[in-house]
Amino acid sequence: MTEDQKQEHLKELILQAKAGDDNAFEEVYTLYYTPLYRYILVRIKNKQEAEDIAQTVLMKIWSAIQTWDSKHTSAIAFFFTVARNTLIDYFRKSSRKEIVSDEMVSIYAEESGDGDEESKTRELREVLSQATTQLSDEQQEIITLLYTNDLTYKEIAIITGKREDAIRQLHSRAIKKLRELYKY
């Protein structure tokens, strides 16, 4: 299934759910719980809290589904906007914010040339985790959405309310800063 077909299928499921079809929302839940959970887990690093927050996000989506308008925002952008706003609320109450995805570790492990060894990977994850705490909240969010959730710059722009070129610039600056901080 192409990305456009996935988007269209999700749009149809949401429209069915808006019309009262509980099975349609069950399918939405099944399809998008894991990507939302992963996005949240990468940001907060606590499985139980991530599960709770993912449930909260899906309940908020269910509550707000009647107001969603497919003409103004894609469904996936709507979902991640709800998740993002829920995380913002969470971070207001907590000072925790850590992000390091497996993809980031593998990228930096390839650059160091020693990505095969388990201990090097663990050490690299620790170094990157420490380095990402020095990124701005915006940069951390962009890195998470790009590398953990495989969203496009356009989708991230919709979620964050920023222009696509601003997202590219934040990404570029974040990677540059990580490279400066990462002296392996």
Side-chain angles (χ1 to χ4, degrees):
M1 191 181 286
T2 68
E3 196 58 40
D4 287 340
Q5 289 171 328
K6 286 180 187 176
Q7 288 289 330
E8 193 58 36
H9 178 66
L10 178 58
K11 180 180 170 182
E12 287 302 315
L13 287 172
I14 291 175
L15 292 174
Q16 291 170 10
K18 282 176 82 166
D21 184 349
D22 291 339
N23 292 330
F25 193 78
E26 276 185 44
E27 188 173 344
V28 168
Y29 183 98
T30 302
L31 291 170
Y32 287 93
Y33 175 83
T34 300
L36 290 168
Y37 167 76
R38 211 175 357 159
Y39 168 70
I40 294 163
L41 180 62
V42 166
R43 295 297 307 272
I44 65 172
K45 295 292 185 200
N46 181 306
K47 288 182 180 182
Q48 184 60 46
E49 286 183 52
E51 289 172 4
D52 293 345
I53 293 170
Q55 292 288 337
T56 300
V57 167
L58 285 159
M59 292 304 292
K60 286 180 177 182
I61 289 169
W62 174 250
S63 297
I65 210 161
Q66 293 301 321
T67 62
W68 176 72
D69 184 358
S70 64
K71 294 174 186 156
H72 293 104
T73 238
S74 73
I76 196 74
F78 170 62
F79 289 0
F80 279 98
T81 299
V82 173
R84 177 179 186 257
N85 291 339
T86 304
L87 279 173
I88 288 170
D89 291 342
Y90 171 82
F91 284 130
R92 284 186 183 140
K93 298 173 186 170
S94 169
S95 63
R96 289 174 264 172
K97 51 184 178 184
E98 240 183 289
I99 58 166
V100 176
S101 71
D102 291 337
E103 185 177 347
M104 285 177 64
V105 170
S106 67
I107 288 168
Y108 284 95
E110 286 173 16
E111 287 182 11
S112 73
D114 293 326
D116 302 324
E117 302 170 25
E118 188 178 322
S119 63
K120 288 281 188 186
T121 302
R122 221 178 9 257
E123 187 178 333
L124 179 57
R125 179 177 291 283
E126 218 171 279
V127 169
L128 283 172
S129 182
Q130 190 65 14
T132 56
T133 62
Q134 297 180 43
L135 296 176
S136 71
D137 288 342
E138 286 180 323
Q139 290 171 331
Q140 288 183 31
E141 181 173 34
I142 301 308
I143 294 295
T144 301
L145 290 169
L146 276 170
Y147 293 107
T148 304
N149 296 97
D150 296 324
L151 297 181
T152 65
Y153 289 115
K154 184 178 182 177
E155 290 169 326
I156 295 169
I158 292 167
I159 292 166
T160 61
K162 296 185 179 304
R163 292 189 337 255
E164 201 172 326
D165 60 332
I167 300 300
R168 289 180 195 280
Q169 190 174 44
L170 280 166
H171 174 240
S172 176
R173 288 181 182 162
I175 295 299
K176 182 179 178 184
K177 188 169 185 176
L178 285 173
R179 284 197 171 113
E180 290 170 5
L181 295 168
Y182 172 69
K183 307 253 192 268
Y184 202 75

